Amino acid sequence: MQDQDTRPPLFGAHSPTESRIETAVLAGGCFWCLEAVFRELHGVLKVDSGYCGGTPDTADYEQVTTGRADHAEAVRISYDPRQIRYEDLLTVFFSIAHDPTQKDRQGNDRGRQYRSVIFYADESQKTAATAAIEQLTRDQVYKDPIVTEVVAQAPFYPAEAYHNNYAACHPDQPYVAHVAAPKVSKLRRYFAHMLHRAPLS
């Protein structure tokens, strides 16, 4: 999304009323960046980095980063739908977390493991994802076509423990400082009304 001084619109208009905890699985580049962004949102209870789209025998960082496994680096977001909607997560996904017009890459990270994917859990999530892409396309938010895949949720395999909350734990790591941190700063600028009142533990 073009950097601008107005807050990007939210998708959809319904209010959350359900009390159960729900999950969303999203992929769009390095999971360190995705986790850093989504952990900031009020209503998000937990964010797990991991691998989705491939087989269990290839669900490890060493194999996924080769690009030969079919996994995407992904995050599993556990959230309270009374406090944040799935559509709100999609708004942040498309406007802050990554560039959905980049095919099988994000910036200098190249390979199918960095593809843009929404792994939907049910028809409601599928409908929301499709509607969001249609709206962005209709409104010509991006110059290039959106290449985000919308596919049925495959098994999610948690990443190695050292990846958890990586950006917060390693703020001086060059990749975190130059790629993840600017995304978090942009989120705080445009979506201050959606942030945690206290840091997510």
Side-chain angles (χ1 to χ4, degrees), residues 29-195:
C30 177
F31 47 31
W32 295 346
C33 295
L34 293 175
E35 182 189 49
V37 167
F38 286 106
R39 281 177 57 89
E40 295 268 317
L41 298 176
H42 181 66
V44 169
L45 308 175
K46 185 180 181 184
V47 184
D48 297 304
S49 291
Y51 315 107
C52 195
T55 58
D57 58 302
T58 59
D60 64 76
Y61 193 65
E62 183 175 350
Q63 294 189 75
V64 171
T65 55
T66 67
R68 292 192 293 270
D70 202 36
H71 284 293
E73 289 194 16
V75 290
R76 180 176 58 195
I77 304 162
S78 300
Y79 66 98
D80 183 346
R82 295 170 299 178
Q83 301 178 63
I84 189 169
R85 307 171 306 155
Y86 183 72
E87 290 86 349
D88 299 331
L89 299 176
L90 293 181
T91 295
V92 171
F93 177 68
F94 282 115
S95 61
I96 303 291
H98 83 310
D99 180 349
T101 69
Q102 296 187 359
K103 180 72 173 176
D104 294 341
R105 72 182 183 91
Q106 284 295 303
N108 292 326
D109 292 328
R110 298 175 182 270
R112 185 158 167 75
Q113 69 270 31
Y114 301 117
R115 64 191 183 273
S116 175
V117 192
I118 297 170
F119 292 99
Y120 64 85
D122 53 34
E123 286 302 310
S124 176
Q125 289 190 357
K126 180 181 180 181
T127 298
T130 301
I133 292 171
E134 290 175 350
Q135 178 182 328
L136 291 168
T137 300
R138 183 173 59 251
D139 295 344
Q140 298 182 322
V141 173
Y142 295 99
K143 294 180 181 179
D144 299 317
I146 292 173
V147 297
T148 303
E149 301 172 25
V150 179
V151 300
Q153 189 169 306
F156 178 89
Y157 303 96
E160 296 80 356
Y162 71 88
H163 291 295
N164 294 331
N165 201 18
Y166 189 91
C169 294
H170 303 85
D172 297 325
Q173 200 265 9
Y175 185 92
V176 170
H178 291 96
V179 182
K183 293 178 187 289
V184 173
S185 295
K186 189 175 180 181
L187 177 76
R188 292 173 179 174
R189 177 183 178 187
Y190 290 117
F191 294 95
H193 64 295
M194 291 174 58
L195 302 183

